[in-house]
Amino acid sequence: MDDPGVAPILSTPDTHIFEDPTPSVDIQSLPKLSDEQLNSQYEIQRTVGEIRDGKWKRIALQFPDQMLVDAPRVFEALSHGLENARKRRKISSPMHVDQMDKSSDNNSLEKAMDKGDISSEDIPEKIYILADTSYGACCVDEIAAEHVDADVVVHYGRACLSPTARLPVIYVFTSCPLDLKATKETFMQTYPERDKKVILMADIPYSHHVSQIYDVLKHEGYNQVFATTIMHDPSSLLPNRTVPEEVGHDEEKLRSYSLFHISDPPTALLLTLSSRFESIHIFPTTNSSSFSPSSISVPSDKTGPQPLAPASTTPLLRRRYAMLRTLSAISIIGILINTLSVRSYLPALQRIQRLITEAGKKYYTVVVGKVNAAKVANFAEIGAWVVVGCWESGLVDMKAGEGYWRPMVTPFELEMALSGQAERIWMGEWKGGFEGVAEARAKTQADAERMEEQDGSDEGEENGDGDGELDSEEESAPPEFDLRTGRYISNARPMRTSSNGVSSKQTKGEDGRAVNALIKRANGDVARIAGEASPGAEFLRSQRTWQGLGSDFEIGYQEDGATVEEGRKGIARGYTVGEEQQRT
């Protein structure tokens, strides 16, 4: 299906300007945790201990939206826990801390610390609640934490565990309950062979149940089951999880294993693992699974847990691959920054920019915070977006009805799309995040250059050099076609074409110097700003229909001029109008 010619209308109706479209959440309907459950689920004691051990004084608490209802109670529990810890320290090692209680301002505390009257451990901690995140909830929001000059961030809920750039983090995964009996029976129905190689894995809120299920299955006779544990390494074969020892020495041995995953994994994780395992089975913790039917069809007379059907990512991968085939014909690519906290995102951004430039295309870098269809639709000139984010949020799933107007791809997908015909070989693998972007491409190009040098170093001398070398390179480049419509795309590489055009259009005077003479603009030339080709400006000049206030109508003037009328007079609190001096 062809893309629409213009961006969709995403404006808010006038009748809804003062209405909040966000669906309201009934707080009374949410389950209320007891004090004991709150301390256990949010790991209050462990958090207090780590804060005291780290000697952090300004703590930022980051909650996902569904947990904000518990934020005030967690704040109070941490405050009481830290206060009790300070009191216990005073009792165990009494010090002169009376001055700290009498004066609580920062200047007095600093003076007392300089004199040695009090210790830094006796200064009360300040806790802040981050009510909203700048980007995805899985990432640590260092931007919001720096607004309050925080020393540490306590991150609650599921996390991508991407390494942060500046602040230390305390992760609290807020464990969720699980029916261990149903999980064991479903596992046994799915894998009746006791010697089947299976890796046991769970989503982060259920990860603490993995060891318990492993012990139960071990007792049932399963001797080839491997229980994963959490580690902070998103680039691992199993992102943020340990792998069997034999797989660490030979990655291909992972294909002989099946994966039993508890709870629906993130889409990026499922796509990453789809090509690395023999099969993937997902045990749903909700009423339905997003990626596979909950069980295989069985006779109706059987009750209880049933074997799981293998999860299928084929339809999603096909949609992603079809989207990639359109990128080669796109001239302008937008780089969407979806994180400012993940370590080494800036070098990855530079590699992506270099990758797009080498392909002869134009890029624009945009930072918009949380991504939605309305934000990206404001940039109608951009033909596709590459999202620079963590390995989870870097994948924007373009589901039907969400209104995304242009393709949203990951750095791995962009690298594949911009590769040459000989290098564009897809074996079904998929990677999330920006780790390793352009590294394989650079290695391939280096090998190709080395082969060319070995074949003959004097080939370039026979072809000659100069301005004609750029023209011959552009003329020898393969043509670009839109594979959906079959049409030839003449401006797929605007930056390469424009650079050749500039060198051929420079006029020279009698002394050989360049002359700024007026030259008729040829068809296909790209608009230039400050001497640099700008496909975005060309789109604004030639295709954008609305170009500012007053551009959509013509101003007409009366030939005889307008009739002169007497205006109002008086002061602002009461003007007088007309001969009767009526006040308005």
Side-chain angles (χ1 to χ4, degrees):
M1 184 176 63
D2 295 342
D3 291 337
V6 296
I9 299 176
L10 298 171
S11 59
T12 304
D14 295 341
T15 56
H16 296 166
I17 290 179
F18 298 104
E19 297 179 6
D20 185 7
T22 305
S24 59
V25 178
D26 186 7
I27 300 179
Q28 301 298 331
S29 63
L30 297 176
K32 183 176 178 60
L33 300 176
S34 64
D35 292 340
E36 183 178 356
Q37 292 174 333
L38 185 80
N39 291 331
S40 175
Q41 180 168 342
Y42 289 95
E43 304 182 27
I44 301 299
Q45 296 302 323
R46 180 179 73 86
T47 306
V48 170
E50 292 196 22
I51 292 175
R52 295 289 295 176
D53 293 341
K55 299 181 181 180
W56 296 305
K57 296 304 176 183
R58 302 177 71 88
I59 301 98
L61 309 182
Q62 179 181 341
F63 294 86
D65 294 341
Q66 67 272 17
M67 294 183 182
L68 279 175
V69 63
D70 295 329
R73 297 180 61 195
V74 174
F75 176 90
E76 293 294 336
L78 288 176
S79 299
H80 289 314
L82 292 171
E83 183 180 0
N84 294 334
R86 291 194 303 272
K87 290 181 180 180
R88 289 193 297 269
R89 182 183 181 281
K90 292 178 184 178
I91 295 174
S92 60
S93 56
M95 297 180 64
H96 300 288
V97 295
D98 295 336
Q99 296 181 4
M100 181 189 66
D101 298 331
K102 294 180 181 179
S103 58
S104 58
D105 58 290
N106 294 333
N107 294 332
S108 300
L109 292 176
E110 292 178 358
K111 292 179 180 179
M113 290 178 59
D114 294 338
K115 294 180 181 179
D117 295 336
I118 63 174
S119 172
S120 61
E121 298 183 10
D122 297 319
I123 301 177
E125 293 83 0
K126 291 186 178 181
I127 304 177
Y128 303 87
I129 298 176
L130 307 182
D132 192 13
T133 55
S134 302
Y135 297 95
C138 65
C139 296
V140 178
D141 192 358
E142 290 186 325
I143 304 302
E146 288 184 346
H147 289 171
V148 296
D149 196 19
D151 299 325
V152 65
V153 178
V154 183
H155 185 280
Y156 294 98
R158 69 174 323 280
C160 60
L161 299 180
S162 298
T164 55
R166 293 172 288 274
L167 295 178
V169 185
I170 300 175
Y171 288 101
V172 179
F173 299 137
T174 58
S175 59
C176 296
L178 180 68
D179 189 344
L180 298 180
K181 181 179 179 181
T183 306
K184 181 201 74 171
E185 294 178 355
T186 303
F187 184 95
M188 297 178 65
Q189 290 288 338
T190 305
Y191 308 107
E193 305 88 356
R194 294 298 192 269
D195 58 348
K196 180 70 174 177
K197 286 187 175 182
V198 182
I199 290 182
L200 194 60
M201 184 176 173
D203 198 18
I204 283 184
Y206 298 91
S207 58
H208 67 289
H209 297 292
V210 172
S211 59
Q212 303 175 20
I213 299 174
Y214 172 78
D215 295 336
V216 173
L217 294 175
K218 199 76 172 178
H219 181 72
E220 294 291 339
Y222 288 91
N223 53 11
Q224 295 291 334
V225 176
F226 177 79
T228 59
T229 56
I230 294 179
M231 67 174 184
H232 295 235
D233 186 9
S235 61
S236 173
L237 281 176
L238 297 180
N240 298 319
R241 301 296 192 279
T242 56
V243 297
E245 184 177 356
E246 61 174 343
V247 175
H249 300 294
D250 186 2
E251 297 180 359
E252 291 298 325
K253 292 184 177 181
L254 187 62
R255 298 182 184 275
S256 63
Y257 282 84
S258 294
L259 176 66
F260 185 84
H261 195 280
I262 301 173
S263 186
D264 279 358
T267 306
L269 176 61
L270 186 62
L271 290 177
T272 301
L273 300 179
S274 60
S275 62
R276 302 180 182 179
F277 285 96
E278 179 185 89
S279 62
I280 298 177
H281 297 85
I282 300 174
F283 179 77
T285 54
T286 56
N287 295 330
S288 62
S289 176
S290 303
F291 305 102
S292 65
S294 59
S295 61
I296 300 175
S297 299
V298 294
S300 58
D301 57 344
K302 292 188 178 182
T303 59
Q306 305 299 333
L308 297 174
S312 176
T313 59
T314 303
L316 181 56
L317 285 174
R318 286 175 178 173
R319 291 197 300 268
R320 304 295 302 182
Y321 186 68
M323 190 166 49
L324 296 187
R325 302 302 296 268
T326 65
L327 295 185
S328 59
I330 291 174
S331 58
I332 305 177
I333 298 176
I335 303 176
L336 194 61
I337 305 299
N338 199 26
T339 181
L340 294 177
S341 302
V342 178
R343 187 185 305 168
S344 71
Y345 80 93
L346 282 177
L349 172 62
Q350 296 172 357
R351 292 196 297 266
I352 293 173
Q353 291 173 342
R354 184 167 58 251
L355 181 67
I356 297 174
T357 302
E358 291 175 355
K361 301 180 184 297
K362 178 68 175 181
Y363 67 83
Y364 293 97
T365 305
V366 180
V367 181
V368 297
K370 291 183 178 179
V371 181
N372 57 46
K375 289 180 179 178
V376 297
N378 288 322
F379 305 91
E381 63 273 20
I382 292 179
W385 295 90
V386 53
V387 183
V388 179
C390 71
W391 65 275
E392 287 190 22
S393 62
L395 173 64
V396 178
D397 193 3
M398 301 177 62
K399 298 179 181 178
E402 293 188 357
Y404 284 102
W405 185 43
R406 297 300 193 189
M408 312 282 290
V409 301
T410 65
F412 169 76
E413 294 170 336
L414 177 71
E415 181 181 5
M416 181 185 301
L418 299 184
S419 301
Q421 294 291 343
E423 304 171 4
R424 194 182 303 167
I425 302 176
W426 185 54
M427 303 301 295
E429 65 174 351
W430 192 91
K431 298 179 182 178
F434 49 77
E435 293 82 2
V437 175
E439 293 179 358
R441 180 181 175 86
K443 182 179 179 181
T444 303
Q445 291 179 349
D447 294 340
E449 292 176 358
R450 192 181 305 109
M451 292 294 296
E452 291 179 358
E453 292 178 358
Q454 294 177 358
D455 293 341
S457 59
D458 56 348
E459 182 177 354
E461 298 178 0
E462 297 177 1
N463 295 334
D465 49 12
D467 294 340
E469 184 176 345
L470 294 174
D471 295 336
S472 61
E473 180 182 354
E474 179 62 26
E475 293 176 358
S476 62
E480 295 289 349
F481 294 92
D482 190 336
L483 298 181
R484 298 169 301 170
T485 62
R487 292 180 299 179
Y488 170 69
I489 306 298
S490 60
N491 60 343
R493 296 180 289 268
M495 304 308 294
R496 190 174 300 174
T497 305
S498 61
S499 62
N500 296 341
V502 170
S503 60
S504 62
K505 289 182 181 179
Q506 287 181 347
T507 59
K508 298 182 179 180
E510 296 178 355
D511 55 355
R513 297 181 180 180
V515 179
N516 295 327
L518 294 177
I519 302 176
K520 182 180 179 180
R521 179 175 176 267
N523 294 333
D525 281 1
V526 180
R528 312 187 69 82
I529 297 179
E532 182 179 355
S534 177
E538 177 64 26
F539 179 91
L540 178 64
R541 179 176 62 182
S542 59
Q543 299 185 38
R544 188 181 287 271
T545 56
W546 190 83
Q547 300 182 1
L549 294 176
S551 62
D552 52 349
F553 66 94
E554 296 182 358
I555 302 176
Y557 296 95
Q558 299 180 5
E559 295 181 359
D560 299 336
T563 304
V564 178
E565 298 180 358
E566 183 180 358
R568 296 180 178 183
K569 59 184 178 180
I571 57 179
R573 67 180 182 180
Y575 291 104
T576 58
V577 182
E579 297 178 355
E580 298 180 0
Q581 302 294 317
Q582 295 180 356
R583 300 177 66 87
T584 60

